[in-house]
Amino acid sequence: MTTYLIKGARILGGEPTDLLIRDGVVAEMGSGLSAAGARVVDADGLVALPGLVDLHTHLREPGREDAETVETGSRAAALGGYTAVCAMANTSPVADTAGVVEQVWRLGREAGLVDVQPIGAVTVGLNGEQLAELGAMADSAARVRIFSDDGFCVADPRLMRRALEYVKAFDGVIAQHAEEPRLTVGAQMHEGEVAARLGMTGWPAVAEESIIARDVLLAEHVGARLHVCHVSTAGSVGILRWAKERGIRVTAEVTPHHLLLTDERATSYDPVYKVNPPLRTAADVAALRAALVEGVVDIVATDHAPHAVEDKECEWAYARPGMLGLETALSIVIDTALDQLGWDGIAQRMSRTPARIAGLTEHGLDPAVGVPANFTLVDPAARWTVEPADLASRSRNTPYAETTLPARVVATFLRGEPTVLDGKATK
Ligand code: DOR
Ligand code: ZN
């Protein structure tokens, strides 16, 4: 195993520090370190963060390897500064058995670019009717702790209650895609002024808020952990604040795109902006940013949703919802919230807290002697222009094409080995 000497990294934006990386851990820290035979990495001006952890990634394998594979998605993640991602269950076949989650977990190990932690489905085939074998997935080699039907809502309150009861036994968590399906039949975009102008069927805020309100009460009743995926409305923030003040065990995520983009984008009719939940209003964006700073929304998760060209470059109504996120997430968060969060706040929301929610004990740890060397080095002064063709993802559906963004990941280390060096993936 190569030894690495990182020279002058600013840990969480602090004073320049040298780090000696040996045998998968941070072996020494200080100034003026030297080590014979070590490979030197010049980190002058670079900020070191604990490796980012994404709680919400769609990798598309098995089933849609034309859109993304565990390997291509892992590479995109490493380039985005991630050392761990949680892979959503809406693959084909669905990740609803020990066999499928073990397969995804193994593919992640083989790719070796990030730790891929599979999420298990709550219901068989995401059908919303019958609980999947949550215990078997939890006991499998993949040790699943998060369960989600993401893409679909667990709409039946009785089933949601049973799922919460079941995972409570092993301190698991149900990650809910909050969308009351009866309120979003035929929905194409956020229900509001812009949808009215465009004549598109709307996805009302109350479809999200009514499920979150119900589910925090169910989580309180059961005493189990609930995680709310991709919170998108100001009203949801109010419900989450209320729930947290009551001591309900709920965490919530916001996506980079919901922190930046609004429903005005739909006026282009470009399906790259079609996503579920939809882009909302400027007032929602402002409320979500404030909630992330306040901590009512705990974390940023990408909802990285790669789609093949034929599923995205078509008429809006036929396009699949979702957008790429892994390679641009950190830049978007820096762009929208670094001023208020600082580097420590970004580490909290993109690494430490998601690692804790997912139970990934080797991740989300600030660089310190003896700690697993899972970290990323970021150039905060760099600017880069997003070229879809240059992305590592197998898909091209980024909403930031030709946009210039701040900050670039220069290197990422996973258990002491670089997965990214000089801004390029090492494998
Ligand atoms: O936009 C979305 N895309 N939202 C989801 O909930 C699912 C995801 C996907 O799988 O493409
Ligand atoms: Zn979702």
Side-chain angles (χ1 to χ4, degrees):
M1 239 181 155
T2 312
T3 301
Y4 290 87
L5 180 58
I6 318 279
K7 296 293 283 180
R10 296 166 52 213
I11 297 170
L12 302 169
E15 291 305 309
T17 308
D18 300 346
L19 298 117
L20 188 68
I21 310 299
R22 187 192 287 140
D23 297 332
V25 300
V26 180
E28 280 181 57
M29 269 170 63
S31 58
L33 292 190
S34 62
R39 178 154 175 201
V40 175
V41 177
D42 176 14
D44 186 32
L46 305 185
V47 171
L49 297 174
L52 306 183
V53 176
D54 192 20
L55 213 66
H56 192 148
T57 310
H58 296 275
L59 290 176
R60 306 299 187 214
E61 187 175 6
R64 285 307 299 265
E65 291 84 354
D66 57 321
E68 197 79 287
T69 64
V70 170
E71 185 186 342
T72 61
S74 292
R75 191 169 294 117
L79 286 162
Y82 289 87
T83 52
V85 301
C86 298
M88 270 300 170
N90 65 338
T91 48
S92 179
V94 169
D96 59 2
T97 62
V100 178
V101 295
E102 282 183 353
Q103 182 195 358
V104 171
W105 178 78
R106 191 169 35 74
L107 288 167
R109 293 300 282 206
E110 283 167 16
L113 286 152
V114 289
D115 284 344
V116 174
Q117 176 57 55
I119 291 173
V122 177
T123 68
V124 174
L126 310 177
N127 66 8
E129 284 168 13
Q130 190 190 343
L131 271 194
E133 291 177 14
L134 310 186
M137 289 188 271
D139 291 342
S140 75
R143 295 188 50 80
V144 177
R145 287 294 175 275
I146 304 178
F147 297 87
S148 182
D149 274 3
D150 180 63
F152 301 100
C153 183
V154 181
D156 179 344
R158 187 161 164 271
L159 208 52
M160 186 63 182
R161 176 189 176 173
R162 289 278 173 265
L164 288 164
E165 285 170 346
Y166 205 106
V167 299
K168 186 186 174 188
F170 49 85
D171 203 32
V173 56
I174 302 294
Q176 176 71 294
H177 168 118
E179 173 183 358
E180 168 49 59
R182 298 297 298 155
L183 291 173
T184 60
V185 174
Q188 292 294 331
M189 63 173 294
H190 172 64
E191 181 181 295
E193 222 178 277
V194 183
R197 214 191 315 141
L198 299 179
M200 287 204 214
T201 305
W203 196 130
V206 68
E208 174 173 304
E209 293 153 7
S210 56
I211 292 292
I212 297 177
R214 180 200 79 176
D215 285 355
V216 295
L217 292 174
L218 284 174
E220 178 176 47
H221 179 72
V222 173
R225 289 167 61 202
L226 170 72
H227 177 76
V228 184
C229 296
H230 41 53
V231 169
S232 69
T233 80
S236 297
V237 171
I239 297 161
L240 288 166
R241 186 182 293 108
W242 176 86
K244 288 188 164 195
E245 282 168 4
R246 264 173 90 89
I248 296 172
R249 302 173 76 196
V250 61
T251 53
E253 72 191 32
V254 63
T255 70
H257 47 274
H258 289 108
L259 288 173
L260 183 67
L261 308 175
T262 69
D263 59 344
E264 283 291 344
R265 297 277 173 152
T267 57
S268 68
Y269 292 103
D270 184 343
V272 81
Y273 300 115
K274 182 173 176 178
V275 64
N276 191 18
L279 301 175
R280 305 282 187 188
T281 67
D284 292 306
V285 168
L288 292 168
R289 287 187 189 188
L292 184 67
V293 172
E294 187 188 346
V296 167
V297 168
D298 303 78
I299 66 167
V300 175
T302 67
D303 197 4
H304 178 80
H307 285 296
V309 169
E310 66 270 23
D311 292 325
K312 233 19 200 171
E313 290 174 16
C314 55
E315 234 181 276
W316 180 285
Y318 299 111
R320 300 265 175 95
M323 37 182 75
L324 300 184
L326 288 169
E327 293 174 76
T328 50
L330 182 59
S331 288
I332 301 296
V333 173
I334 286 172
D335 192 33
T336 55
L338 176 62
D339 286 353
Q340 292 183 79
L341 292 177
W343 292 108
D344 189 74
I346 288 182
Q348 191 70 16
R349 286 154 185 83
M350 297 185 79
S351 175
R352 296 183 205 123
T353 304
R356 180 176 54 75
I357 294 169
L360 298 173
T361 52
E362 292 203 339
H363 294 270
L365 304 170
D366 294 349
V369 172
V371 155
N374 299 321
F375 63 90
T376 187
L377 299 174
V378 182
D379 181 356
R383 295 181 69 77
W384 62 294
T385 301
V386 180
E387 297 295 348
D390 294 345
L391 296 173
S393 172
R394 190 162 275 182
S395 292
R396 296 285 167 260
N397 54 306
T398 174
Y400 311 114
E402 309 308 329
T403 304
T404 299
L405 301 177
R408 194 98 220 235
V409 170
V410 175
T412 306
F413 280 74
L414 176 65
R415 277 185 288 281
E417 292 288 344
T419 54
V420 174
L421 265 186
D422 298 326
K424 292 183 185 63
T426 54
K427 52 182 165 186

